[in-house]
Amino acid sequence: MNEPKKKRKVFLLGAGAAMSWGGPSTAKVTDLILGKLENENTTHANSQFTNLIYNFLVYKSSQSPEKVQIEINFEDIISVVEELILYYHIPIEEGEKRILPHFFDLKPDFEKDLEACFSNGDGIYENLVDSLNAILRSIRLFVHKYSRHLSNEDSKILPCDQHFDLCEKKERIYLVSLFNAWASKIGLDHSFIRSYTLNYDKLYKVLFENYMQEKGKGADVQIFQGFIEKSPDANQILFNREQNCHYNLHGSTYWHLSNHKESYGLEEFVFELGDFPYLEFTEEQSKAHIKLEVGRPFVLSNIIAGYRKIQRSFNTPFKQMHASFEMDCLQADEMYIIGYSFSDAHINSSIRSAFIGNKKMKVYIVDPSFNLNSFNKLVTEVFPELFNEEKLVNEGCRKEGIYYKFDKLFIFPMKFEEYLKHMN
């Protein structure tokens, strides 16, 4: 007897999906690199420098003619540091013009404020690379704190950091049991797991593997994360559509930036997969850059944050993973969007393609900040052309028990942990 055809379940995981496991919110990472958090087991970045950038960006936002209130976070700070790296440290080719960072024109005294942060006798901007490293290292350590795991008799997924106490370990065991029960309930045993995260960790890769092992699928269950041994495998990412996968659309702290000019010939720097987070860049690696558009280089990093995400996503293996996400959106039977705020236009574009071209797909959104106002914003600002206006007026978004429903869209206004409890 033939086995039933496997369903394709796509998971899109944002910051909110990691918070139940100890993951930091965007606001918490921002406070960390601004030096506002105390007693954290991680190294703060140059807080004078990061606060200078943060305050400038708040000022810049207030001067916007649109008068739209923008919440500044760590991603914006990283973008400004990278622009400064490009401006002061990346050599330009003959005949090219150096692009002045946009904020110099807006606030002329910014450069003087910058000088005050770095006046060390060796040159004002000698430590810009070090400052970028400090910011990225703070983020990596924060992510590392909740994304490392070990196996023991009680649970396949526990924090191995000594700072976690017994209560937190018991909570993790409980969360794993809830996750596994939910995975079984939604039919993960008979599905292709197509997992995509906007975070910089491999938390859900471990969770899905743990679930498959619990189900007796074998002790060596591996969910493909885009690399064969250490190197990215573009063919597998793009063309093996019938395998379980977990892809980091915005990069990972586990990706290492390596200089392979002699062996690869085409690209001087490439990403390799490591067993542990990549905590430090060398000065050479910190200044590594790539130019996909004339006159618009960008700093290479194992995480994509801030501005110009679309341009930066066109580098390997980012572009193949994004293409895979687009294809999965068009082929998915079900999509689970967990802890994502719909703030990335390039991600929304792929979801929009699914709404247009994949009529069979059901979409489940888990978002504690959801209410009817946010639903109206979703259908009028994020996906304005997708929802039948007559149906929207006649039926609206109605509440059915613990969730809201509109057509094939199901929205659960709660944290992921609360959602797991309700589903079980």
Side-chain angles (χ1 to χ4, degrees):
M1 183 175 179
N2 294 331
E3 289 188 11
K5 184 180 177 182
K6 282 190 173 184
K7 290 192 173 183
R8 182 173 299 269
K9 297 191 190 297
V10 177
F11 300 85
L12 178 63
L13 308 160
M19 290 177 67
S20 293
W21 309 92
S25 64
T26 298
K28 193 169 184 180
V29 177
T30 304
D31 286 345
L32 171 75
I33 66 174
L34 292 176
K36 294 181 179 180
L37 293 183
E38 300 297 333
N39 301 319
E40 292 290 342
N41 296 296
T42 186
T43 304
H44 290 156
N46 181 330
S47 58
Q48 182 187 5
F49 178 48
T50 53
N51 276 280
L52 169 66
I53 293 174
Y54 178 83
N55 291 331
F56 160 72
L57 290 172
V58 172
Y59 165 81
K60 178 177 178 289
S61 174
S62 70
Q63 300 302 303
S64 170
E66 290 86 9
K67 300 299 179 186
V68 177
Q69 180 140 11
I70 301 173
E71 187 174 343
I72 306 302
N73 61 47
F74 73 93
E75 292 192 357
D76 305 301
I77 295 173
I78 289 174
S79 291
V80 171
V81 176
E82 290 177 343
E83 278 200 56
L84 291 170
I85 292 291
L86 288 169
Y87 184 67
Y88 289 109
H89 284 282
I90 303 300
I92 61 171
E93 297 177 11
E94 187 175 351
E96 284 189 337
K97 290 185 178 180
R98 190 183 295 278
I99 299 176
L100 190 71
H102 61 283
F103 39 82
F104 277 9
D105 289 337
L106 184 64
K107 196 165 186 257
D109 59 344
F110 182 84
E111 197 164 5
K112 293 180 180 179
D113 296 337
L114 192 63
E115 178 178 347
C117 288
F118 293 111
S119 54
N120 54 13
D122 297 323
I124 301 167
Y125 307 106
E126 290 299 318
N127 294 329
L128 272 174
V129 171
D130 291 339
S131 293
L132 176 59
N133 255 333
I135 293 171
L136 294 181
R137 187 172 187 273
S138 294
I139 296 168
R140 291 187 193 102
L141 284 170
F142 218 157
V143 170
H144 189 48
K145 184 177 178 181
Y146 74 89
S147 65
R148 287 183 67 191
H149 309 92
L150 57 81
S151 298
N152 70 6
E153 295 178 357
D154 298 316
S155 173
K156 292 293 193 302
I157 179 168
L158 284 175
C160 64
D161 193 310
Q162 294 180 353
H163 299 287
F164 285 91
D165 61 25
L166 184 60
C167 291
E168 289 175 286
K169 289 184 179 182
K170 288 181 177 178
E171 179 66 17
R172 290 271 177 121
I173 294 170
Y174 176 56
L175 281 173
V176 171
S177 66
L178 287 177
F179 181 88
N180 287 348
W182 168 69
S184 180
K185 196 166 189 175
I186 65 173
L188 222 55
D189 307 13
H190 310 292
S191 307
F192 293 115
I193 301 170
R194 308 291 294 180
S195 172
Y196 298 85
T197 181
L198 303 175
N199 303 323
Y200 312 125
D201 58 74
K202 58 180 182 180
L203 170 67
Y204 278 83
K205 173 185 180 293
V206 177
L207 281 168
F208 285 126
E209 286 178 345
N210 172 71
Y211 170 73
M212 299 296 285
Q213 290 167 11
E214 289 285 328
K215 283 293 182 179
K217 301 294 183 181
D220 296 325
V221 171
Q222 291 288 317
I223 290 182
F224 183 59
Q225 51 187 327
F227 294 76
I228 297 296
E229 294 183 351
K230 290 185 176 181
S231 301
D233 190 316
N235 280 325
Q236 280 256 39
I237 297 171
L238 287 172
F239 301 119
N240 193 339
R241 313 299 306 151
E242 297 190 348
Q243 66 177 346
N244 298 324
C245 70
H246 177 78
Y247 297 147
N248 291 76
L249 294 177
H250 287 167
S252 170
T253 59
Y254 290 83
W255 295 5
H256 294 209
L257 187 62
S258 300
N259 190 330
H260 276 223
K261 186 174 184 179
E262 293 182 3
S263 56
Y264 281 75
L266 295 176
E267 297 181 10
E268 183 171 356
F269 289 93
V270 296
F271 292 108
E272 294 184 339
L273 183 65
D275 295 325
F276 297 95
Y278 198 28
L279 298 181
E280 297 285 1
F281 281 102
T282 65
E283 184 174 351
E284 179 189 17
Q285 290 167 331
S286 294
K287 292 190 287 186
H289 69 289
I290 190 170
K291 189 184 298 182
L292 297 176
E293 298 178 41
V294 176
R296 292 181 63 83
F298 57 86
V299 173
L300 275 174
S301 172
N302 57 351
I303 63 175
I304 291 179
Y307 314 133
R308 295 163 63 188
K309 284 181 179 176
I310 296 175
Q311 183 197 32
R312 295 170 59 143
S313 296
F314 211 71
N315 192 31
T316 300
F318 295 104
K319 63 180 175 181
Q320 290 86 5
M321 292 179 177
H322 279 272
S324 176
F325 178 61
E326 178 97 9
M327 287 187 282
D328 273 332
C329 285
L330 291 169
Q331 296 175 317
D333 295 286
E334 297 174 3
M335 177 181 284
Y336 294 84
I337 301 175
I338 302 168
Y340 171 55
S341 60
F342 295 93
S343 57
D344 288 319
H346 57 299
I347 301 297
N348 294 345
S349 175
S350 295
I351 300 172
R352 184 178 295 113
S353 296
F355 277 125
I356 294 173
N358 186 358
K359 303 303 182 185
K360 68 177 181 179
M361 181 181 69
K362 294 180 180 180
V363 179
Y364 301 87
I365 298 175
V366 181
D367 177 10
S369 64
F370 176 81
N371 54 40
L372 289 178
N373 288 334
S374 58
F375 172 77
N376 291 332
K377 183 177 180 180
L378 190 70
V379 299
T380 58
E381 296 182 23
V382 182
F383 305 117
E385 71 278 25
L386 302 182
F387 295 91
N388 182 292
E389 187 172 346
E390 182 179 350
K391 191 169 186 177
L392 190 62
V393 171
N394 292 337
E395 296 185 15
C397 181
R398 62 184 185 275
K399 190 169 186 181
E400 298 187 1
I402 63 171
Y403 62 86
Y404 291 87
K405 183 179 184 299
F406 177 75
D407 200 12
K408 294 183 179 181
L409 187 65
F410 303 82
I411 307 177
F412 294 80
M414 59 191 69
K415 296 178 181 178
F416 188 45
E417 180 179 353
E418 295 170 345
Y419 166 78
L420 291 177
K421 290 176 181 176
H422 279 292
M423 293 303 290
N424 289 298

